[in-house]
PDB file of all heavy atoms in Angstrom:
ATOM      1  N   ALA G   1     -64.549  53.338  72.460  1.00 88.00           N
ATOM      2  CA  ALA G   1     -64.418  54.542  73.263  1.00 88.00           C
ATOM      3  C   ALA G   1     -62.953  54.818  73.581  1.00 88.00           C
ATOM      4  O   ALA G   1     -62.603  55.937  73.972  1.00 88.00           O
ATOM      5  CB  ALA G   1     -65.208  54.408  74.563  1.00 88.00           C
ATOM      6  N   GLU G   2     -62.128  53.779  73.441  1.00 86.00           N
ATOM      7  CA  GLU G   2     -60.691  53.971  73.603  1.00 86.00           C
ATOM      8  C   GLU G   2     -59.961  53.036  72.656  1.00 86.00           C
ATOM      9  O   GLU G   2     -60.448  51.934  72.351  1.00 86.00           O
ATOM     10  CB  GLU G   2     -60.255  53.706  75.053  1.00 86.00           C
ATOM     11  CG  GLU G   2     -60.277  52.259  75.478  1.00 86.00           C
ATOM     12  CD  GLU G   2     -59.600  52.059  76.831  1.00 86.00           C
ATOM     13  OE1 GLU G   2     -59.991  52.735  77.796  1.00 86.00           O
ATOM     14  OE2 GLU G   2     -58.691  51.217  76.898  1.00 86.00           O
ATOM     15  N   PRO G   3     -58.807  53.422  72.137  1.00 90.00           N
ATOM     16  CA  PRO G   3     -58.064  52.570  71.209  1.00 90.00           C
ATOM     17  C   PRO G   3     -57.653  51.262  71.885  1.00 90.00           C
ATOM     18  O   PRO G   3     -57.384  51.218  73.090  1.00 90.00           O
ATOM     19  CB  PRO G   3     -56.834  53.424  70.847  1.00 90.00           C
ATOM     20  CG  PRO G   3     -57.229  54.838  71.178  1.00 90.00           C
ATOM     21  CD  PRO G   3     -58.148  54.733  72.348  1.00 90.00           C
ATOM     22  N   GLY G   4     -57.615  50.190  71.105  1.00 90.00           N
ATOM     23  CA  GLY G   4     -57.175  48.907  71.644  1.00 90.00           C
ATOM     24  C   GLY G   4     -58.275  48.103  72.310  1.00 90.00           C
ATOM     25  O   GLY G   4     -57.995  47.046  72.906  1.00 90.00           O
ATOM     26  N   ALA G   5     -59.530  48.574  72.227  1.00 91.00           N
ATOM     27  CA  ALA G   5     -60.623  47.841  72.877  1.00 91.00           C
ATOM     28  C   ALA G   5     -60.826  46.464  72.257  1.00 91.00           C
ATOM     29  O   ALA G   5     -61.162  45.500  72.944  1.00 91.00           O
ATOM     30  CB  ALA G   5     -61.915  48.655  72.805  1.00 91.00           C
ATOM     31  N   LEU G   6     -60.602  46.358  70.935  1.00 92.00           N
ATOM     32  CA  LEU G   6     -60.785  45.064  70.274  1.00 92.00           C
ATOM     33  C   LEU G   6     -59.779  44.046  70.807  1.00 92.00           C
ATOM     34  O   LEU G   6     -60.127  42.872  70.999  1.00 92.00           O
ATOM     35  CB  LEU G   6     -60.631  45.218  68.760  1.00 92.00           C
ATOM     36  CG  LEU G   6     -60.781  43.926  67.944  1.00 92.00           C
ATOM     37  CD1 LEU G   6     -62.155  43.298  68.171  1.00 92.00           C
ATOM     38  CD2 LEU G   6     -60.567  44.202  66.456  1.00 92.00           C
ATOM     39  N   ALA G   7     -58.550  44.476  71.060  1.00 92.00           N
ATOM     40  CA  ALA G   7     -57.541  43.560  71.600  1.00 92.00           C
ATOM     41  C   ALA G   7     -57.942  43.079  72.990  1.00 92.00           C
ATOM     42  O   ALA G   7     -57.751  41.903  73.335  1.00 92.00           O
ATOM     43  CB  ALA G   7     -56.177  44.252  71.636  1.00 92.00           C
ATOM     44  N   LEU G   8     -58.504  43.976  73.793  1.00 92.00           N
ATOM     45  CA  LEU G   8     -58.977  43.578  75.119  1.00 92.00           C
ATOM     46  C   LEU G   8     -60.133  42.580  75.011  1.00 92.00           C
ATOM     47  O   LEU G   8     -60.186  41.588  75.752  1.00 92.00           O
ATOM     48  CB  LEU G   8     -59.422  44.808  75.912  1.00 92.00           C
ATOM     49  CG  LEU G   8     -58.342  45.815  76.292  1.00 92.00           C
ATOM     50  CD1 LEU G   8     -58.967  47.048  76.943  1.00 92.00           C
ATOM     51  CD2 LEU G   8     -57.322  45.174  77.235  1.00 92.00           C
ATOM     52  N   ALA G   9     -61.054  42.832  74.092  1.00 92.00           N
ATOM     53  CA  ALA G   9     -62.189  41.936  73.909  1.00 92.00           C
ATOM     54  C   ALA G   9     -61.722  40.566  73.431  1.00 92.00           C
ATOM     55  O   ALA G   9     -62.221  39.528  73.879  1.00 92.00           O
ATOM     56  CB  ALA G   9     -63.170  42.538  72.913  1.00 92.00           C
ATOM     57  N   ALA G  10     -60.740  40.553  72.507  1.00 92.00           N
ATOM     58  CA  ALA G  10     -60.220  39.290  72.007  1.00 92.00           C
ATOM     59  C   ALA G  10     -59.532  38.502  73.112  1.00 92.00           C
ATOM     60  O   ALA G  10     -59.692  37.282  73.215  1.00 92.00           O
ATOM     61  CB  ALA G  10     -59.260  39.547  70.853  1.00 92.00           C
ATOM     62  N   ALA G  11     -58.776  39.177  73.951  1.00 92.00           N
ATOM     63  CA  ALA G  11     -58.117  38.499  75.069  1.00 92.00           C
ATOM     64  C   ALA G  11     -59.147  37.906  76.023  1.00 92.00           C
ATOM     65  O   ALA G  11     -58.993  36.785  76.511  1.00 92.00           O
ATOM     66  CB  ALA G  11     -57.217  39.489  75.808  1.00 92.00           C
ATOM     67  N   LEU G  12     -60.219  38.636  76.268  1.00 90.00           N
ATOM     68  CA  LEU G  12     -61.256  38.164  77.172  1.00 90.00           C
ATOM     69  C   LEU G  12     -62.001  36.970  76.580  1.00 90.00           C
ATOM     70  O   LEU G  12     -62.385  36.043  77.293  1.00 90.00           O
ATOM     71  CB  LEU G  12     -62.232  39.310  77.454  1.00 90.00           C
ATOM     72  CG  LEU G  12     -63.287  39.090  78.539  1.00 90.00           C
ATOM     73  CD1 LEU G  12     -62.630  38.782  79.882  1.00 90.00           C
ATOM     74  CD2 LEU G  12     -64.165  40.330  78.656  1.00 90.00           C
ATOM     75  N   GLN G  13     -62.188  36.957  75.268  1.00 88.00           N
ATOM     76  CA  GLN G  13     -62.946  35.901  74.612  1.00 88.00           C
ATOM     77  C   GLN G  13     -62.106  34.668  74.302  1.00 88.00           C
ATOM     78  O   GLN G  13     -62.648  33.649  73.853  1.00 88.00           O
ATOM     79  CB  GLN G  13     -63.548  36.426  73.299  1.00 88.00           C
ATOM     80  CG  GLN G  13     -64.651  37.457  73.491  1.00 88.00           C
ATOM     81  CD  GLN G  13     -65.966  36.808  73.894  1.00 88.00           C
ATOM     82  OE1 GLN G  13     -66.015  35.988  74.803  1.00 88.00           O
ATOM     83  NE2 GLN G  13     -67.033  37.168  73.207  1.00 88.00           N
ATOM     84  N   ALA G  14     -60.813  34.740  74.509  1.00 86.00           N
ATOM     85  CA  ALA G  14     -59.945  33.609  74.172  1.00 86.00           C
ATOM     86  C   ALA G  14     -60.321  32.355  74.957  1.00 86.00           C
ATOM     87  O   ALA G  14     -60.075  31.241  74.510  1.00 86.00           O
ATOM     88  CB  ALA G  14     -58.484  33.970  74.417  1.00 86.00           C
ATOM     89  N   GLY G  15     -60.930  32.512  76.106  1.00 73.00           N
ATOM     90  CA  GLY G  15     -61.303  31.360  76.918  1.00 73.00           C
ATOM     91  C   GLY G  15     -62.719  30.883  76.697  1.00 73.00           C
ATOM     92  O   GLY G  15     -63.186  29.993  77.403  1.00 73.00           O
ATOM     93  N   SER G  16     -63.427  31.451  75.729  1.00 77.00           N
ATOM     94  CA  SER G  16     -64.831  31.117  75.494  1.00 77.00           C
ATOM     95  C   SER G  16     -64.993  30.273  74.232  1.00 77.00           C
ATOM     96  O   SER G  16     -64.224  30.405  73.278  1.00 77.00           O
ATOM     97  CB  SER G  16     -65.665  32.396  75.360  1.00 77.00           C
ATOM     98  OG  SER G  16     -66.997  32.094  75.012  1.00 77.00           O
ATOM     99  N   GLU G  17     -66.021  29.400  74.227  1.00 73.00           N
ATOM    100  CA  GLU G  17     -66.328  28.580  73.061  1.00 73.00           C
ATOM    101  C   GLU G  17     -67.534  29.117  72.292  1.00 73.00           C
ATOM    102  O   GLU G  17     -68.012  28.489  71.354  1.00 73.00           O
ATOM    103  CB  GLU G  17     -66.604  27.135  73.486  1.00 73.00           C
ATOM    104  CG  GLU G  17     -65.411  26.461  74.150  1.00 73.00           C
ATOM    105  CD  GLU G  17     -65.723  25.048  74.581  1.00 73.00           C
ATOM    106  OE1 GLU G  17     -66.901  24.646  74.459  1.00 73.00           O
ATOM    107  OE2 GLU G  17     -64.810  24.344  75.036  1.00 73.00           O
ATOM    108  N   HIS G  18     -68.044  30.265  72.672  1.00 78.00           N
ATOM    109  CA  HIS G  18     -69.240  30.828  72.040  1.00 78.00           C
ATOM    110  C   HIS G  18     -68.914  31.274  70.611  1.00 78.00           C
ATOM    111  O   HIS G  18     -67.803  31.725  70.331  1.00 78.00           O
ATOM    112  CB  HIS G  18     -69.736  32.027  72.856  1.00 78.00           C
ATOM    113  CG  HIS G  18     -71.133  32.427  72.540  1.00 78.00           C
ATOM    114  ND1 HIS G  18     -71.451  33.198  71.450  1.00 78.00           N
ATOM    115  CD2 HIS G  18     -72.309  32.158  73.170  1.00 78.00           C
ATOM    116  CE1 HIS G  18     -72.756  33.395  71.421  1.00 78.00           C
ATOM    117  NE2 HIS G  18     -73.296  32.778  72.451  1.00 78.00           N
ATOM    118  N   PRO G  19     -69.870  31.145  69.673  1.00 80.00           N
ATOM    119  CA  PRO G  19     -69.613  31.594  68.288  1.00 80.00           C
ATOM    120  C   PRO G  19     -69.197  33.051  68.199  1.00 80.00           C
ATOM    121  O   PRO G  19     -68.375  33.416  67.348  1.00 80.00           O
ATOM    122  CB  PRO G  19     -70.966  31.359  67.599  1.00 80.00           C
ATOM    123  CG  PRO G  19     -71.602  30.256  68.371  1.00 80.00           C
ATOM    124  CD  PRO G  19     -71.168  30.461  69.788  1.00 80.00           C
ATOM    125  N   LEU G  20     -69.734  33.904  69.078  1.00 84.00           N
ATOM    126  CA  LEU G  20     -69.340  35.309  69.045  1.00 84.00           C
ATOM    127  C   LEU G  20     -67.881  35.487  69.443  1.00 84.00           C
ATOM    128  O   LEU G  20     -67.212  36.409  68.975  1.00 84.00           O
ATOM    129  CB  LEU G  20     -70.241  36.140  69.978  1.00 84.00           C
ATOM    130  CG  LEU G  20     -71.724  36.197  69.617  1.00 84.00           C
ATOM    131  CD1 LEU G  20     -72.452  37.124  70.577  1.00 84.00           C
ATOM    132  CD2 LEU G  20     -71.922  36.654  68.172  1.00 84.00           C
ATOM    133  N   ALA G  21     -67.401  34.598  70.311  1.00 87.00           N
ATOM    134  CA  ALA G  21     -65.992  34.666  70.701  1.00 87.00           C
ATOM    135  C   ALA G  21     -65.103  34.386  69.497  1.00 87.00           C
ATOM    136  O   ALA G  21     -64.083  35.058  69.293  1.00 87.00           O
ATOM    137  CB  ALA G  21     -65.717  33.667  71.819  1.00 87.00           C
ATOM    138  N   ARG G  22     -65.494  33.401  68.694  1.00 87.00           N
ATOM    139  CA  ARG G  22     -64.696  33.094  67.499  1.00 87.00           C
ATOM    140  C   ARG G  22     -64.710  34.261  66.523  1.00 87.00           C
ATOM    141  O   ARG G  22     -63.710  34.530  65.843  1.00 87.00           O
ATOM    142  CB  ARG G  22     -65.243  31.833  66.838  1.00 87.00           C
ATOM    143  CG  ARG G  22     -65.052  30.574  67.672  1.00 87.00           C
ATOM    144  CD  ARG G  22     -65.304  29.323  66.854  1.00 87.00           C
ATOM    145  NE  ARG G  22     -66.710  29.182  66.503  1.00 87.00           N
ATOM    146  CZ  ARG G  22     -67.593  28.517  67.232  1.00 87.00           C
ATOM    147  NH1 ARG G  22     -67.218  27.965  68.387  1.00 87.00           N
ATOM    148  NH2 ARG G  22     -68.848  28.410  66.838  1.00 87.00           N
ATOM    149  N   ALA G  23     -65.825  34.973  66.446  1.00 90.00           N
ATOM    150  CA  ALA G  23     -65.905  36.129  65.553  1.00 90.00           C
ATOM    151  C   ALA G  23     -64.969  37.248  66.018  1.00 90.00           C
ATOM    152  O   ALA G  23     -64.308  37.905  65.207  1.00 90.00           O
ATOM    153  CB  ALA G  23     -67.339  36.639  65.486  1.00 90.00           C
ATOM    154  N   VAL G  24     -64.900  37.474  67.326  1.00 91.00           N
ATOM    155  CA  VAL G  24     -64.013  38.511  67.871  1.00 91.00           C
ATOM    156  C   VAL G  24     -62.556  38.150  67.616  1.00 91.00           C
ATOM    157  O   VAL G  24     -61.753  38.984  67.194  1.00 91.00           O
ATOM    158  CB  VAL G  24     -64.274  38.699  69.371  1.00 91.00           C
ATOM    159  CG1 VAL G  24     -63.235  39.650  69.978  1.00 91.00           C
ATOM    160  CG2 VAL G  24     -65.670  39.253  69.607  1.00 91.00           C
ATOM    161  N   LEU G  25     -62.204  36.881  67.867  1.00 90.00           N
ATOM    162  CA  LEU G  25     -60.822  36.448  67.664  1.00 90.00           C
ATOM    163  C   LEU G  25     -60.432  36.523  66.194  1.00 90.00           C
ATOM    164  O   LEU G  25     -59.308  36.890  65.856  1.00 90.00           O
ATOM    165  CB  LEU G  25     -60.657  35.018  68.192  1.00 90.00           C
ATOM    166  CG  LEU G  25     -60.768  34.870  69.717  1.00 90.00           C
ATOM    167  CD1 LEU G  25     -60.851  33.402  70.106  1.00 90.00           C
ATOM    168  CD2 LEU G  25     -59.587  35.540  70.409  1.00 90.00           C
ATOM    169  N   ALA G  26     -61.380  36.190  65.303  1.00 90.00           N
ATOM    170  CA  ALA G  26     -61.092  36.282  63.871  1.00 90.00           C
ATOM    171  C   ALA G  26     -60.888  37.723  63.446  1.00 90.00           C
ATOM    172  O   ALA G  26     -60.017  38.027  62.614  1.00 90.00           O
ATOM    173  CB  ALA G  26     -62.232  35.649  63.077  1.00 90.00           C
ATOM    174  N   ALA G  27     -61.679  38.645  63.996  1.00 91.00           N
ATOM    175  CA  ALA G  27     -61.542  40.057  63.642  1.00 91.00           C
ATOM    176  C   ALA G  27     -60.232  40.634  64.175  1.00 91.00           C
ATOM    177  O   ALA G  27     -59.605  41.474  63.526  1.00 91.00           O
ATOM    178  CB  ALA G  27     -62.726  40.848  64.200  1.00 91.00           C
ATOM    179  N   HIS G  28     -59.809  40.160  65.359  1.00 89.00           N
ATOM    180  CA  HIS G  28     -58.545  40.659  65.926  1.00 89.00           C
ATOM    181  C   HIS G  28     -57.364  40.111  65.133  1.00 89.00           C
ATOM    182  O   HIS G  28     -56.449  40.859  64.750  1.00 89.00           O
ATOM    183  CB  HIS G  28     -58.454  40.254  67.392  1.00 89.00           C
ATOM    184  CG  HIS G  28     -57.161  40.624  68.048  1.00 89.00           C
ATOM    185  ND1 HIS G  28     -56.716  41.924  68.120  1.00 89.00           N
ATOM    186  CD2 HIS G  28     -56.204  39.852  68.645  1.00 89.00           C
ATOM    187  CE1 HIS G  28     -55.547  41.959  68.752  1.00 89.00           C
ATOM    188  NE2 HIS G  28     -55.214  40.710  69.071  1.00 89.00           N
ATOM    189  N   GLY G  29     -57.370  38.810  64.903  1.00 86.00           N
ATOM    190  CA  GLY G  29     -56.381  38.189  64.024  1.00 86.00           C
ATOM    191  C   GLY G  29     -54.977  38.082  64.555  1.00 86.00           C
ATOM    192  O   GLY G  29     -54.081  37.654  63.832  1.00 86.00           O
ATOM    193  N   GLY G  30     -54.710  38.440  65.787  1.00 81.00           N
ATOM    194  CA  GLY G  30     -53.359  38.370  66.320  1.00 81.00           C
ATOM    195  C   GLY G  30     -53.312  37.658  67.655  1.00 81.00           C
ATOM    196  O   GLY G  30     -54.302  37.115  68.133  1.00 81.00           O
ATOM    197  N   ALA G  31     -52.131  37.663  68.257  1.00 84.00           N
ATOM    198  CA  ALA G  31     -51.968  37.039  69.563  1.00 84.00           C
ATOM    199  C   ALA G  31     -52.709  37.856  70.607  1.00 84.00           C
ATOM    200  O   ALA G  31     -52.835  39.082  70.496  1.00 84.00           O
ATOM    201  CB  ALA G  31     -50.489  36.926  69.911  1.00 84.00           C
ATOM    202  N   THR G  32     -53.201  37.181  71.621  1.00 87.00           N
ATOM    203  CA  THR G  32     -53.963  37.858  72.673  1.00 87.00           C
ATOM    204  C   THR G  32     -53.232  37.799  74.003  1.00 87.00           C
ATOM    205  O   THR G  32     -52.445  36.869  74.254  1.00 87.00           O
ATOM    206  CB  THR G  32     -55.352  37.204  72.843  1.00 87.00           C
ATOM    207  OG1 THR G  32     -55.185  35.828  73.212  1.00 87.00           O
ATOM    208  CG2 THR G  32     -56.148  37.291  71.556  1.00 87.00           C
ATOM    209  N   ALA G  33     -53.465  38.782  74.824  1.00 89.00           N
ATOM    210  CA  ALA G  33     -52.893  38.796  76.167  1.00 89.00           C
ATOM    211  C   ALA G  33     -53.566  37.721  77.016  1.00 89.00           C
ATOM    212  O   ALA G  33     -54.712  37.341  76.763  1.00 89.00           O
ATOM    213  CB  ALA G  33     -53.099  40.178  76.797  1.00 89.00           C
ATOM    214  N   PRO G  34     -52.895  37.207  78.033  1.00 90.00           N
ATOM    215  CA  PRO G  34     -53.503  36.189  78.896  1.00 90.00           C
ATOM    216  C   PRO G  34     -54.670  36.771  79.702  1.00 90.00           C
ATOM    217  O   PRO G  34     -54.672  37.954  80.053  1.00 90.00           O
ATOM    218  CB  PRO G  34     -52.357  35.753  79.800  1.00 90.00           C
ATOM    219  CG  PRO G  34     -51.381  36.889  79.779  1.00 90.00           C
ATOM    220  CD  PRO G  34     -51.504  37.507  78.425  1.00 90.00           C
ATOM    221  N   VAL G  35     -55.647  35.931  79.972  1.00 89.00           N
ATOM    222  CA  VAL G  35     -56.793  36.337  80.767  1.00 89.00           C
ATOM    223  C   VAL G  35     -56.770  35.575  82.092  1.00 89.00           C
ATOM    224  O   VAL G  35     -56.446  34.382  82.133  1.00 89.00           O
ATOM    225  CB  VAL G  35     -58.115  36.081  80.009  1.00 89.00           C
ATOM    226  CG1 VAL G  35     -58.260  34.616  79.625  1.00 89.00           C
ATOM    227  CG2 VAL G  35     -59.313  36.542  80.832  1.00 89.00           C
ATOM    228  N   GLU G  36     -57.087  36.247  83.158  1.00 91.00           N
ATOM    229  CA  GLU G  36     -57.121  35.634  84.482  1.00 91.00           C
ATOM    230  C   GLU G  36     -58.543  35.693  85.037  1.00 91.00           C
ATOM    231  O   GLU G  36     -59.335  36.561  84.671  1.00 91.00           O
ATOM    232  CB  GLU G  36     -56.160  36.363  85.436  1.00 91.00           C
ATOM    233  CG  GLU G  36     -54.710  36.358  84.965  1.00 91.00           C
ATOM    234  CD  GLU G  36     -53.829  37.214  85.869  1.00 91.00           C
ATOM    235  OE1 GLU G  36     -54.383  37.879  86.777  1.00 91.00           O
ATOM    236  OE2 GLU G  36     -52.606  37.226  85.653  1.00 91.00           O
ATOM    237  N   ASP G  37     -58.824  34.746  85.915  1.00 90.00           N
ATOM    238  CA  ASP G  37     -60.122  34.701  86.596  1.00 90.00           C
ATOM    239  C   ASP G  37     -61.277  34.740  85.591  1.00 90.00           C
ATOM    240  O   ASP G  37     -62.277  35.439  85.791  1.00 90.00           O
ATOM    241  CB  ASP G  37     -60.238  35.867  87.588  1.00 90.00           C
ATOM    242  CG  ASP G  37     -61.387  35.683  88.581  1.00 90.00           C
ATOM    243  OD1 ASP G  37     -61.783  34.528  88.807  1.00 90.00           O
ATOM    244  OD2 ASP G  37     -61.902  36.696  89.102  1.00 90.00           O
ATOM    245  N   PHE G  38     -61.110  33.987  84.508  1.00 90.00           N
ATOM    246  CA  PHE G  38     -62.146  33.968  83.477  1.00 90.00           C
ATOM    247  C   PHE G  38     -63.389  33.246  83.977  1.00 90.00           C
ATOM    248  O   PHE G  38     -63.306  32.212  84.640  1.00 90.00           O
ATOM    249  CB  PHE G  38     -61.625  33.276  82.215  1.00 90.00           C
ATOM    250  CG  PHE G  38     -62.667  33.118  81.140  1.00 90.00           C
ATOM    251  CD1 PHE G  38     -62.951  34.164  80.280  1.00 90.00           C
ATOM    252  CD2 PHE G  38     -63.383  31.931  81.008  1.00 90.00           C
ATOM    253  CE1 PHE G  38     -63.917  34.032  79.294  1.00 90.00           C
ATOM    254  CE2 PHE G  38     -64.345  31.787  80.023  1.00 90.00           C
ATOM    255  CZ  PHE G  38     -64.611  32.840  79.167  1.00 90.00           C
ATOM    256  N   ARG G  39     -64.548  33.786  83.599  1.00 89.00           N
ATOM    257  CA  ARG G  39     -65.808  33.156  84.002  1.00 89.00           C
ATOM    258  C   ARG G  39     -66.871  33.413  82.934  1.00 89.00           C
ATOM    259  O   ARG G  39     -67.059  34.554  82.499  1.00 89.00           O
ATOM    260  CB  ARG G  39     -66.279  33.709  85.348  1.00 89.00           C
ATOM    261  CG  ARG G  39     -67.570  33.072  85.847  1.00 89.00           C
ATOM    262  CD  ARG G  39     -67.987  33.677  87.156  1.00 89.00           C
ATOM    263  NE  ARG G  39     -69.267  33.151  87.609  1.00 89.00           N
ATOM    264  CZ  ARG G  39     -69.952  33.617  88.643  1.00 89.00           C
ATOM    265  NH1 ARG G  39     -69.458  34.641  89.353  1.00 89.00           N
ATOM    266  NH2 ARG G  39     -71.100  33.083  88.989  1.00 89.00           N
ATOM    267  N   ALA G  40     -67.529  32.344  82.507  1.00 84.00           N
ATOM    268  CA  ALA G  40     -68.652  32.476  81.579  1.00 84.00           C
ATOM    269  C   ALA G  40     -69.931  32.723  82.379  1.00 84.00           C
ATOM    270  O   ALA G  40     -70.172  32.078  83.401  1.00 84.00           O
ATOM    271  CB  ALA G  40     -68.799  31.209  80.751  1.00 84.00           C
ATOM    272  N   LEU G  41     -70.728  33.670  81.916  1.00 83.00           N
ATOM    273  CA  LEU G  41     -71.988  34.021  82.568  1.00 83.00           C
ATOM    274  C   LEU G  41     -73.123  33.583  81.652  1.00 83.00           C
ATOM    275  O   LEU G  41     -73.421  34.264  80.662  1.00 83.00           O
ATOM    276  CB  LEU G  41     -72.051  35.537  82.812  1.00 83.00           C
ATOM    277  CG  LEU G  41     -70.845  36.142  83.550  1.00 83.00           C
ATOM    278  CD1 LEU G  41     -70.944  37.658  83.564  1.00 83.00           C
ATOM    279  CD2 LEU G  41     -70.763  35.581  84.963  1.00 83.00           C
ATOM    280  N   PRO G  42     -73.763  32.429  81.917  1.00 78.00           N
ATOM    281  CA  PRO G  42     -74.788  31.890  81.005  1.00 78.00           C
ATOM    282  C   PRO G  42     -75.878  32.910  80.692  1.00 78.00           C
ATOM    283  O   PRO G  42     -76.467  33.512  81.585  1.00 78.00           O
ATOM    284  CB  PRO G  42     -75.358  30.699  81.787  1.00 78.00           C
ATOM    285  CG  PRO G  42     -74.250  30.285  82.702  1.00 78.00           C
ATOM    286  CD  PRO G  42     -73.563  31.571  83.089  1.00 78.00           C
ATOM    287  N   GLY G  43     -76.089  33.119  79.392  1.00 74.00           N
ATOM    288  CA  GLY G  43     -77.125  34.041  78.952  1.00 74.00           C
ATOM    289  C   GLY G  43     -76.753  35.502  79.065  1.00 74.00           C
ATOM    290  O   GLY G  43     -77.555  36.371  78.693  1.00 74.00           O
ATOM    291  N   ARG G  44     -75.563  35.796  79.561  1.00 82.00           N
ATOM    292  CA  ARG G  44     -75.156  37.194  79.755  1.00 82.00           C
ATOM    293  C   ARG G  44     -73.901  37.530  78.963  1.00 82.00           C
ATOM    294  O   ARG G  44     -73.882  38.488  78.205  1.00 82.00           O
ATOM    295  CB  ARG G  44     -74.912  37.475  81.239  1.00 82.00           C
ATOM    296  CG  ARG G  44     -76.163  37.369  82.121  1.00 82.00           C
ATOM    297  CD  ARG G  44     -75.776  37.565  83.584  1.00 82.00           C
ATOM    298  NE  ARG G  44     -76.927  37.600  84.462  1.00 82.00           N
ATOM    299  CZ  ARG G  44     -77.538  36.522  84.945  1.00 82.00           C
ATOM    300  NH1 ARG G  44     -77.087  35.322  84.610  1.00 82.00           N
ATOM    301  NH2 ARG G  44     -78.582  36.619  85.742  1.00 82.00           N
ATOM    302  N   GLY G  45     -72.822  36.756  79.166  1.00 86.00           N
ATOM    303  CA  GLY G  45     -71.554  37.038  78.513  1.00 86.00           C
ATOM    304  C   GLY G  45     -70.413  36.405  79.270  1.00 86.00           C
ATOM    305  O   GLY G  45     -70.526  35.289  79.778  1.00 86.00           O
ATOM    306  N   VAL G  46     -69.292  37.112  79.344  1.00 89.00           N
ATOM    307  CA  VAL G  46     -68.104  36.608  80.038  1.00 89.00           C
ATOM    308  C   VAL G  46     -67.484  37.739  80.849  1.00 89.00           C
ATOM    309  O   VAL G  46     -67.733  38.915  80.594  1.00 89.00           O
ATOM    310  CB  VAL G  46     -67.060  36.046  79.045  1.00 89.00           C
ATOM    311  CG1 VAL G  46     -67.602  34.829  78.319  1.00 89.00           C
ATOM    312  CG2 VAL G  46     -66.617  37.109  78.046  1.00 89.00           C
ATOM    313  N   ARG G  47     -66.661  37.333  81.800  1.00 92.00           N
ATOM    314  CA  ARG G  47     -65.882  38.325  82.552  1.00 92.00           C
ATOM    315  C   ARG G  47     -64.509  37.742  82.839  1.00 92.00           C
ATOM    316  O   ARG G  47     -64.301  36.531  82.820  1.00 92.00           O
ATOM    317  CB  ARG G  47     -66.580  38.700  83.854  1.00 92.00           C
ATOM    318  CG  ARG G  47     -66.660  37.583  84.880  1.00 92.00           C
ATOM    319  CD  ARG G  47     -67.180  38.052  86.220  1.00 92.00           C
ATOM    320  NE  ARG G  47     -68.422  38.792  86.091  1.00 92.00           N
ATOM    321  CZ  ARG G  47     -69.312  38.949  87.069  1.00 92.00           C
ATOM    322  NH1 ARG G  47     -69.088  38.383  88.250  1.00 92.00           N
ATOM    323  NH2 ARG G  47     -70.403  39.640  86.870  1.00 92.00           N
ATOM    324  N   GLY G  48     -63.549  38.644  83.107  1.00 91.00           N
ATOM    325  CA  GLY G  48     -62.197  38.212  83.414  1.00 91.00           C
ATOM    326  C   GLY G  48     -61.292  39.412  83.618  1.00 91.00           C
ATOM    327  O   GLY G  48     -61.721  40.577  83.488  1.00 91.00           O
TER     328      GLY G  48
END
C-alpha cells in the first residue's frame, strides 16, 4: 500500500526465528533498520 513496506517487514522480522521471517529477509536481501521493543506473539505474529 506504500513503497518500502518490504524493508519495514524485513526490519521487523530480523528478530524472529520463524521460517516466514527467513523468507522475508531473503526476499529483502539487504541491511535492515534496527527494531525496538520487539515481541513475538505466539500463533499470531510479531510486533515492534
Side-chain angles (χ1 to χ4, degrees):
E2 72 170 54
L6 179 59
L8 294 174
L12 189 59
Q13 291 283 49
S16 175
E17 298 179 354
H18 196 279
L20 296 184
R22 293 193 291 269
V24 173
L25 292 169
H28 176 59
T32 61
V35 58
E36 301 174 354
D37 195 24
F38 175 83
R39 181 181 176 188
L41 307 173
R44 295 176 175 83
V46 295
R47 67 172 51 157

